Amino acid sequence: MARYRKYSVYLKEKYGARVHRIPLQAGFYCPNRDGRLSRQGCIFCDVYGSGPLTFKPPPIREQLLEGMKRARRRYGAKFFIAYFQAFTNTYGPPEVLRERYWQALEFPEFVEISIGTRPDCVPEPVVDILEELARERPLWVELGLESSHYRSLRWMRRNHGVADFIDAVLRLKKRQGINVAAHVILGIPGEGKEEVVETARFLSALPVDGVKIHPLHVLKNTGLEKLYREGKLPLLSMEEFVSLAVDFLENLREDIVVMRISGERSLELFIAPEWALEKQKVLAEIDREMEKRDSFQGRKLKLGLKPEECMPLREPVKFST
Ligand code: SF4
């Protein structure tokens, strides 16, 4: 029995076969790196902006064709998702965004499109383009939130606030056909169960359709690497991560699709914690922990008091007339 809403199952039900994501480096950069907001970048971000490991990407069409070829050869894949992954994929003039996104529409095998970006980088002219794109193909906009706690965002050098995320979600969801997903990190120093549960509740209170969760992990040439080498970065054990992930899922609205749990990054860049590389083991442990608690997604979610709980326990003050 599936105890949480797995993306792979969601896709298989929708398309009748496995669907593979093809990560793209579409030539965008990031306001948190080019000096508009900062030159430092987020504390966890690698020099490739979490995308394919290249500084000289081939044209998008070639990336799409090569990605399809590889996935067909390895997995016999039939259907694909064009995942605009590296850096901030809505950071550019609308006409450039349109030209890049529309290249994925050339191939009917790309059944969905996913666009990763920052929550403060989706102004209305960009949302217009996204809505147009969503008319052509099912569309996900993946917003990096990481945490609903402002101090954590500051520690991660995100240079946006929680309000930017709320604003982006509400504006995107006003438009037809746009699915919104949030990225979340578990294991941020200073965040324990209470904070993680509050982030799940926060997402559940918003019209969010999907979530990607990963443990805080250290990659080469990042701010985290420096802290880690100096012995100033506590990292979660696998058991701690599994427990927090289940706490998170128990407080996540049951219809939200869980698009990923656990980190996935190339060995070339990866430093720690080692257990995070064992994706299948981590997923199996999460399933086991949910079974042990006899739990499921959304089991503990409670937002606000029920009407009967909203009755005062003492008489309201009577005012003399
Ligand atoms: S994680 Fe995203 S927002 Fe942060 S520096 Fe990297 S590309 Fe920019």
Side-chain angles (χ1 to χ4, degrees), residues 163-300:
D164 297 297
F165 179 82
I166 298 171
D167 172 57
V169 171
L170 296 182
R171 283 187 302 102
L172 286 163
K173 291 305 294 180
K174 259 194 217 155
R175 304 302 189 97
Q176 278 292 308
I178 301 179
N179 297 295
V180 175
H183 291 196
V184 170
I185 295 177
L186 305 187
I188 297 165
E191 286 201 12
K193 179 177 169 178
E194 244 183 289
E195 288 75 19
V196 161
V197 164
E198 190 53 21
T199 294
R201 287 164 40 78
F202 170 79
L203 293 177
S204 301
L206 288 168
V208 164
D209 307 286
V211 67
K212 280 185 174 176
I213 307 163
H214 66 78
L216 188 77
H217 58 274
V218 184
L219 301 176
K220 283 183 190 152
N221 300 319
T222 60
L224 284 183
E225 181 183 10
K226 187 167 179 291
L227 288 180
Y228 179 72
R229 304 265 181 231
E230 290 167 356
K232 293 181 185 160
L233 184 67
L235 290 171
L236 296 178
S237 66
M238 181 161 77
E239 294 68 31
E240 288 167 330
F241 173 71
V242 166
S243 180
L244 280 181
V246 175
D247 294 333
F248 183 92
L249 293 171
E250 287 180 327
N251 286 279
L252 189 69
R253 225 178 51 233
E254 63 183 2
D255 62 289
I256 295 179
V257 181
V258 181
M259 300 168 85
R260 186 185 66 197
I261 311 182
S262 82
E264 277 163 20
R265 205 63 185 127
S266 154
L267 273 177
E268 251 178 79
L269 294 177
F270 194 87
I271 296 177
E274 259 179 45
W275 60 261
L277 291 172
E278 295 182 76
K279 188 181 163 197
Q280 293 311 323
K281 187 168 175 200
V282 176
L283 293 178
E285 288 300 321
I286 288 171
D287 284 344
R288 210 186 326 272
E289 179 66 16
M290 288 203 101
E291 258 173 60
K292 197 172 103 192
R293 296 191 199 179
D294 192 18
S295 202
F296 50 85
Q297 184 174 337
R299 183 172 76 101
K300 292 195 176 165

Side-chain angles (χ1 to χ4, degrees), residues 29-33 40-46 48-50 85-88 117-120 144 146 156-158 160:
Y29 202 40
C30 171
N32 207 21
R33 284 182 169 274
Q40 279 189 305
C42 300
I43 200 161
F44 54 82
C45 183
D46 59 75
Y48 303 105
S50 306
Q85 184 185 34
F87 296 105
T88 301
T117 191
R118 292 170 55 87
D120 58 354
E146 321 309 347
M156 286 184 281
R157 310 192 306 225
R158 290 287 298 169
H160 65 73

Side-chain angles (χ1 to χ4, degrees), residues 103-161:
Q103 294 192 41
L105 298 180
E106 204 188 309
F107 304 98
E109 299 92 328
F110 282 88
V111 290
E112 300 205 350
I113 295 176
S114 229
I115 294 177
T117 191
R118 292 170 55 87
D120 58 354
C121 205
V122 279
E124 285 300 286
V126 169
V127 183
D128 289 341
I129 299 269
L130 294 172
E131 188 179 32
E132 223 182 295
L133 185 60
R135 273 188 231 123
E136 304 290 334
R137 218 52 68 85
L139 175 70
W140 288 85
V141 177
E142 300 188 18
L143 300 172
L145 170 65
E146 321 309 347
S147 167
S148 66
H149 304 282
Y150 181 71
R151 280 177 201 284
S152 297
L153 297 186
R154 218 161 38 186
W155 179 81
M156 286 184 281
R157 310 192 306 225
R158 290 287 298 169
N159 284 307
H160 65 73

